[in-house]
């Protein structure tokens, strides 16, 4: 295995973290949709199913934030190892793995709230 500071290894690890974060976003939104479908706004419905899907939401959000913190730490580690010619180039490298997943999570939840 190449050393951790290798560019290809870091890039692969960043993409893996971003993909895992996006899976957590999808799981969270899907579970929210299922939880919403299991209970009516009046409070009638399957309470056990609602609690199950809410626990899936909580677990996927916790995992998302743990992965996101790992991505931030990896980005800081990469900044120490790499030399970026400009601030714009550094921010461009942060978009796919650090900045985009939380924006997608917020946009997905906003869309879910608005569409319900």
């Amino acid at each position: 295995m190449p050393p951790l500071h290798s560019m290809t290894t870091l890039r692969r690890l960043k993409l893996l973290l971003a993909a895992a974060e996006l899976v957590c976003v999808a799981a969270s939104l899907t579970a929210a949709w299922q939880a919403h479908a299991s209970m009516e706004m009046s409070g009638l419905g399957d309470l056990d199913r609602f609690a199950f899907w809410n626990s899936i939401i909580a677990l996927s959000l916790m995992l998302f934030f743990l992965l996101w913190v790992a991505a931030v730490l990896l980005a800081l580690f990469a900044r120490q190892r790499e030399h970026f010619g400009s601030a714009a180039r550094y921010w461009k490298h942060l978009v796919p793995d650090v900045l985009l997943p939380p924006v997608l999570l917020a946009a997905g939840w906003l869309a879910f709230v608005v569409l319900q």
Side-chain angles (χ1 to χ4, degrees):
M1 182 172 172
L4 184 59
H5 66 278
S6 169
M7 292 301 292
T8 58
T9 304
L10 279 175
R11 195 169 296 131
R12 286 180 186 158
L13 192 55
K14 286 179 181 182
L15 289 176
L16 181 66
L17 282 172
E21 289 172 22
L22 293 178
V23 167
C24 289
V25 168
S28 172
L29 292 174
T30 303
W33 176 63
Q34 290 291 332
H36 182 74
S38 66
M39 291 287 280
E40 295 177 6
M41 295 308 252
S42 63
L44 298 175
D46 188 357
L47 184 59
D48 290 333
R49 186 172 167 214
F50 181 75
F52 170 77
W53 288 114
N54 274 333
S55 66
I56 299 295
I57 294 169
L59 287 172
S60 64
L61 288 177
M62 282 190 289
L63 182 59
F64 172 83
F65 286 114
L66 286 173
L67 291 169
W68 185 74
V69 167
V72 169
L73 292 174
L74 186 64
L76 290 173
F77 175 76
R79 180 175 176 135
Q80 290 178 346
R81 296 290 183 181
E82 296 179 34
H83 174 68
F84 293 98
S86 66
R89 185 168 176 247
Y90 175 67
W91 282 99
K92 181 183 160 197
H93 282 277
L94 286 181
V95 169
D97 54 339
V98 175
L99 301 176
L100 189 61
V103 169
L104 290 177
L105 178 68
W109 276 98
L110 184 63
F112 178 76
V113 168
V114 169
L115 294 176
Q116 297 304 322

